[in-house]
Amino acid sequence: MEEKVPIIPRSALSALAAALLLAIVHQYLFYAQKPGVSYPIFVVLFYCFMLYYAREQLRPLKWFDYVWLTAIFLLAMTFMLFSSWFFFGLNFLVLPGLILLHMTYLLSYRRPSWSGIQLVGAALEHFFAQGPRHWPTVFTTIRKSGGEGMKNERKQVYLKVLAGLLISCPLLLIVVSLLSSADGVFHQILNKFPELLERISFSEGFGRTLWSVLLGIGLFSYLWGFVAYKRTERPVIVPKEGEPQMEPFEFSVDPVIATTVLMAVNAVYVLFVSVQFSYLFGAWEGALPTGSTYADYARSGFFELIMVTSINFGLLLLSLLALPKAKARLLAVIRVLLYILVLCSVVMLYSAYSRLALYEQAYGYTEIRFLVHAFMIFLGLLLILAAVRISKKDFPLIKWYVALGLLSYVFMNYIGMDRIIASQNIARYEASGDIDAAYLSGLSWEAVPLLIDFSKQNDDLLKQELSNKWSQRGESQQAWPSFNVSQHRGQQALQQYINASK
């Protein structure tokens, strides 16, 4: 079944003009420029463009829509506020995907759930099918607005305007010549125009024009895929008389098999956890396994414990599928086994967490170790939510996972990872006297003010590394679209420190 929504020429022409204007703004903000304050500006303009012209397709908003929109805006603001290269690159990939999914959820005729996998399918269908289908609509709209179907009165008006422009050209040349002779300041302003034209090379002008045209067509097609969509439904196959009917596929887990697997796995886990308790909580006081140093204990089995905990998480989710089919007694047994699995997984996770903390005390704090810590905490929260689902059948686990994942990602962007790493390494230096100056100087500009204060308090300990960072900073003057608060503050503080040290 196909249903094509008719296109309204006037709104199509207005939307095309707005798309081209938005594309021109985009090339101005991002052409040969590093994203900075330009990113949140463009995101706001893009949302205004989409929601205005596709407002009739907008679904009623709920609480998570505002949470999602706030998360997108906060992530866009990170390009202006922070300078961590890790999150800069990650957001550069993640944020466009979040925006496309959000637009599909708000405007798609399929009305997918925000917590269902169908949302991804609807977004892909729109991006690769609905949108490109309207590439020819761009040229159809231009052709219709250029004369086809236009009333004679309007044609005559356009011709008169064109004639007026042609007549005014020689008149303007005479007037401008006289005014430039009458006023020296006005003459100097006119002389600057050739200089401005010389700055724009042919290759750059061609690149900017091509960028604007292609992006404008893409923006209009993407928008019009929501406005003038083609509804497609899968054909329903009705079996003939006498033919067997195929039942819809539904993935499930047999409760007996699940019980057997859980009992076998939990037996090993309980034994392992009982051994861990003999020295896990004593490791901080020196009670380590025989013949093990802090470094050996910290390294041994860390990644293995993370892998086992991840496997347990997958096993837990699969076992939850066995609950609906289990009878009363077997259901109680499975729930107990699942709680044991969660408890053992939490102990393993804590063991891995403590090992990594010991390793950091011995060898310092880095970005990758910080991120592993954050992942373990996040995995622990996922396990807790899964434990809630064990006893509450109607608990919307997937929705909680999606919301927790989105909020956790935003939180990680705003927690100030490099500042925390710098402060922890400074505290380690005060306790042990060891510090990796080269690594600290390689952190983002967020950590620079803290490192400067530390260097001043310790006889310019990091002066050489900070001087190298200043000499390698690249362009000191950047265009305003690339403005970054963290970089600006860090460079100002570092410049003052370098000048004061001379």
Side-chain angles (χ1 to χ4, degrees):
M1 178 182 179
E2 294 186 358
E3 177 188 344
K4 191 173 181 180
V5 178
I7 299 177
I8 304 173
R10 289 187 179 180
S11 61
L13 180 60
S14 174
L16 178 59
L20 291 173
L21 180 61
L22 185 60
I24 293 172
V25 173
H26 185 276
Q27 65 81 25
Y28 172 73
L29 293 175
F30 296 105
Y31 188 89
Q33 300 284 355
K34 178 185 173 183
V37 67
S38 55
Y39 208 104
I41 290 175
F42 183 79
V43 168
V44 172
L45 293 177
F46 176 74
Y47 265 84
C48 292
F49 165 72
M50 293 294 298
L51 298 182
Y52 175 77
Y53 285 101
R55 56 188 179 277
E56 294 183 1
Q57 279 68 39
L58 185 64
R59 71 192 301 171
L61 299 181
K62 298 181 180 179
W63 67 271
F64 189 73
D65 302 328
Y66 297 102
V67 173
W68 198 342
L69 181 61
T70 303
I72 288 175
F73 181 73
L74 289 175
L75 291 176
M77 289 291 292
T78 60
F79 288 90
M80 181 186 72
L81 298 176
F82 307 112
S83 55
S84 170
W85 278 106
F86 174 80
F87 285 110
F88 178 89
L90 196 58
N91 290 336
F92 199 79
L93 299 174
V94 171
L95 191 52
L98 283 176
I99 293 174
L100 294 180
L101 289 174
H102 193 214
M103 283 297 167
T104 304
Y105 172 74
L106 292 177
L107 303 174
S108 176
Y109 71 93
R110 293 186 179 276
R111 294 294 188 256
S113 170
W114 58 265
S115 59
I117 193 63
Q118 296 84 0
L119 177 61
V120 178
L124 293 175
E125 179 215 4
H126 182 82
F127 192 81
F128 291 106
Q130 297 284 359
R133 188 172 60 86
H134 283 288
W135 290 347
T137 307
V138 176
F139 305 99
T140 303
T141 304
I142 295 174
R143 187 178 70 251
K144 288 183 177 181
S145 64
E148 185 179 326
M150 188 183 299
K151 294 181 180 180
N152 292 330
E153 295 180 359
R154 186 174 298 179
K155 286 184 180 179
Q156 292 178 1
V157 171
Y158 288 159
L159 290 174
K160 291 178 181 179
V161 170
L162 181 60
L165 291 174
L166 293 175
I167 295 173
S168 63
C169 286
L171 182 61
L172 285 174
L173 289 175
I174 298 172
V175 171
V176 169
S177 177
L178 293 173
L179 291 176
S180 63
S181 300
D183 191 288
V185 177
F186 185 68
H187 180 72
Q188 291 179 359
I189 294 175
L190 292 178
N191 287 336
K192 292 182 179 179
F193 279 98
E195 298 178 4
L196 294 175
L197 293 176
E198 289 177 359
R199 294 180 185 176
I200 303 176
S201 64
F202 173 77
S203 58
E204 179 182 348
F206 178 77
R208 288 179 179 273
T209 303
L210 185 63
W211 182 316
S212 301
V213 171
L214 294 181
L215 183 60
I217 294 174
L219 289 171
F220 173 80
S221 302
Y222 183 75
L223 165 71
W224 222 244
F226 290 117
V227 176
Y229 56 86
K230 179 182 289 186
R231 185 186 297 272
T232 57
E233 302 290 347
R234 293 182 179 179
V236 179
I237 302 176
V238 180
K240 298 179 180 179
E241 294 184 4
E243 291 184 357
Q245 294 186 358
M246 297 181 62
E247 297 183 357
F249 176 77
E250 183 180 352
F251 185 79
S252 61
V253 178
D254 185 83
V256 177
I257 296 177
T259 303
T260 305
V261 173
L262 288 173
M263 291 181 68
V265 171
N266 281 343
V268 177
Y269 287 165
V270 169
L271 177 62
F272 178 82
V273 168
S274 63
V275 174
Q276 288 284 295
F277 269 105
S278 63
Y279 59 85
L280 175 62
F281 298 102
W284 298 97
E285 302 172 359
L288 298 174
T290 305
S292 296
T293 63
Y294 277 99
D296 294 334
Y297 173 77
R299 283 196 299 266
S300 63
F302 166 73
F303 289 105
E304 289 82 355
L305 287 174
I306 294 295
M307 288 298 298
V308 170
T309 306
S310 302
I311 292 172
N312 292 350
F313 178 68
L315 179 60
L316 174 61
L317 295 182
L318 287 175
S319 300
L320 289 175
L321 298 176
L323 295 179
K325 289 189 174 183
K327 296 182 180 179
R329 290 185 178 180
L330 192 57
L331 178 62
V333 172
I334 294 177
R335 284 177 173 170
V336 171
L337 292 173
L338 288 176
Y339 280 124
I340 295 175
L341 179 65
V342 171
L343 180 61
C344 292
S345 300
V346 170
V347 173
M348 293 178 190
L349 206 57
Y350 180 78
S351 176
Y353 191 95
S354 63
R355 290 167 191 251
L356 181 58
L358 282 174
Y359 191 82
E360 287 175 323
Q361 285 185 356
Y363 296 101
Y365 300 82
T366 63
E367 289 184 348
I368 186 65
R369 294 165 194 167
F370 181 88
L371 293 171
V372 172
H373 269 305
F375 172 75
M376 287 190 287
I377 295 174
F378 179 68
L379 187 56
L381 294 176
L382 295 181
L383 288 170
I384 293 174
L385 290 176
V388 175
R389 172 63 180 79
I390 293 173
S391 58
K392 294 187 176 182
K393 181 180 179 181
D394 298 330
F395 183 73
L397 184 61
I398 301 300
K399 290 186 176 182
W400 275 93
Y401 278 176
V402 172
L404 176 64
L406 182 61
L407 295 177
S408 299
Y409 184 73
V410 175
F411 178 76
M412 285 297 297
N413 273 268
Y414 278 81
I415 198 175
M417 177 177 68
D418 285 6
R419 283 187 58 85
I420 294 176
I421 292 171
S423 63
Q424 291 292 93
N425 278 288
I426 290 173
R428 175 175 171 266
Y429 171 79
E430 294 173 351
S432 64
D434 296 330
I435 193 167
D436 190 345
Y439 179 81
L440 289 180
S441 65
L443 295 175
S444 67
W445 291 103
E446 301 164 29
V448 168
L450 188 63
L451 296 178
I452 292 174
D453 292 339
F454 168 73
S455 183
K456 289 179 178 178
Q457 296 171 5
N458 292 272
D459 301 324
D460 292 330
L461 181 64
L462 302 179
K463 179 180 178 181
Q464 183 62 44
E465 287 76 12
L466 292 174
S467 298
N468 294 338
K469 188 177 184 68
W470 174 253
S471 62
Q472 298 170 2
R473 70 190 185 282
E475 297 182 7
S476 57
Q477 295 293 334
Q478 291 183 334
W480 73 265
S482 300
F483 177 77
N484 182 277
V485 175
S486 171
Q487 182 177 352
H488 177 71
R489 290 178 177 175
Q491 289 185 352
Q492 275 194 330
L494 187 55
Q495 184 179 20
Q496 294 174 1
Y497 175 71
I498 297 298
N499 294 335
S501 302
K502 290 180 180 180

